[in-house]
Amino acid sequence: SYVWNLPPGVSITYLCQQAQISANFSAIASSGMISVYGVNACGVGPSSSMGVTVNQTPIVNAGIDQFIAYGTTATLNGFATGGSGSYSYSWTPAALLQNANVQNPTTIPLTSSTVFTLTVTDSATGCTGTDNVHIIVSGAPPLSCTAIANPAIICQGSCTTLQAIPSGGSGAYTYTWTSNPPSFTSTLQSPVVCPTVTTPYILVVSDGSQTVSASVTVQVIPLPGTLGAITGLTDVCAGTNNVVYTVPTSPVITYYFWSLPAGATVVSGQNTSSIVVHFGTNAVSGNITAEGWSACGCVQSDTLAVTLHSPPIADAGPNQNINCGGAPVSIGTTAVSGMVYSWSPSYALSNPNIAQPTALPWGNTTYILSVTDTSTGCFATDTVSFTVIGAPVANAGSDQSINCGGPGVVIGSASVNGIVYSWTPATGLSDDSIAQPIATPQTTTNYNLMVLDVATGCFDTDDITVTVNAGPTADAGTNQTISIGNTITLNGSATGGSGNYSYFWMPDTLLQNPNIPNPATFPLSSPVVFTLLVTDTVTGCTASDSVLIDVIVSFEKLPESFTALFYPNPTTGIITIEMNRKPNERPTLRVFSPIGKIIYSAILTNDMHQRVDLSTLPDGLYFITIEAYNFSVTKKVVILKGNSPATN
């Protein structure tokens, strides 16, 4: 057999004929030696021993049980003693706590009683201890209710089921349903109703001590009635476009479907009460119909018969060349009975209202012939062009463009003796009666040039378009105010011009990226006016705008008992900081230059009295900010190494 000796507070579970044991260390076990020797028929054998260090388990107290009202929070009050004194804390259930890893956490609003377990771990030894606390929730949740209808939208003549959904209270509910106007009552939780018009239903729920109400509206969609007659042209010429057809609208109709004769096409408005139709040259007579659809069915309108008429034939004759000042020539073709003829322009025509007038234009001219069938109203057009040989040639030049208020451009061509020049419109021209005026229009303008040979009376015309590229508009955003040491994002934008822009902000040294419309600043310590320059990358036009970022020294709301004292001030560089209250987390200290640049940063300890060495910084004014989750304070500090600092 084997004989074992153990320190006080250690018990044994024997295994393997006592050659191996399982040692159980009680809460009062102490460090010491474990020894063993063997015994057989020949006597006692030599012993063997080993030292065992017993680390003290922390003694945990999760606090006393608490009673709270339904839906409120509680602060747990845990602590531990013994061991090394350096602990970590863990509470369960963690989901019911705002922070489960602090010594004294706060619960979320509780709706049921809960046992919270605190586990404390000795950071030096890893030993753990636990304890429980019971948070007892008293009172019942407030009574509430919801009223629904399934379905909430019905067609006229259908029914739906109302449903009361209560919660909270005692759980013993009574129900009262009424309608507005009062035509329905029920005490059922889920009554069936069959309203003929849209109706609100009011629910009152009681649990014996509390009463609450809710409401639900059942929307009743009327059945579709008569859609109404289609209005629009009934006699149409083949090839006519943009003909409108309409049916009266109805509040219950949500979808319209149109049918057209062959060769007709809906170009816009399909599925609405008004459509635009193109009748092709091959369109035939037929009926137009419209169907109206609602959630509760379909209704069809009366049909509208449309008769298609073929247009007449217009023939202005072949294009012609005539000599300047030559003999008149005949245009058009033989008249047809029942047709009305009209020529435009009427210039140099013997009669603009006959089928075959004579023409003697003095300049290149195109005449338009319109032929109307008096029986149907249908018409057709054709053109004939005259080239006048020996007439002067007008040359207005190639189309040009100018940029956003830039210099004007010369239009036209070199002048010729004996030629008179006339430009229209005269707006934006340096002279409308010379061959090559300077054009400086404010907006894109088409200029027409007419040249007249004073010897023969013949003329010619030409056109040129001067396009004005408008410049962009810059917007730097609205003025804003921030606290000293903070950053802000500027809100720049641009409109107008080509829509393609480049951006540049000034002063660029205070911005993280000055070449984007919405840059973030560096921490600012004084008011700054930022200017946004926008350049249109297509035209080169520019625009600018400015915004003021006002910077003030401000203090966020601090814990009532928190203050921070910096001294000496001015200082040679060594600053003592005293805080009269320990924050819940280690605060951050930042030092800013007068232009808002961070030049020093450190994490402070929780000590209420500590020193910061800024002696490597040059003399000058600095801003020191201490920040944590629930407080922020900023102080001005002056470093003067050549003078003896005085406490301030």
Side-chain angles (χ1 to χ4, degrees), residues 28-51:
I28 60 172
S30 57
S31 302
M33 301 295 295
I34 296 178
S35 64
V36 61
Y37 59 87
V39 179
N40 62 15
C42 298
V44 177
S47 67
S48 178
S49 63
M50 63 177 291

Side-chain angles (χ1 to χ4, degrees), residues 596-648:
K597 182 178 180 181
I598 298 177
I599 55 179
Y600 179 84
S601 179
I603 303 297
L604 299 179
T605 68
N606 279 331
D607 296 336
M608 290 185 287
H609 181 97
Q610 46 196 299
R611 290 160 60 88
V612 177
D613 186 356
L614 302 178
S615 60
T616 58
L617 301 180
D619 289 359
L621 172 67
Y622 298 91
F623 296 91
I624 299 181
T625 297
I626 295 179
E627 295 179 333
Y629 174 75
N630 61 348
F631 71 89
S632 173
V633 61
T634 300
K635 301 277 188 175
K636 294 181 180 179
V637 173
V638 176
I639 296 179
L640 292 175
K641 298 176 186 175
N643 299 322
S644 298
T647 301
N648 182 15

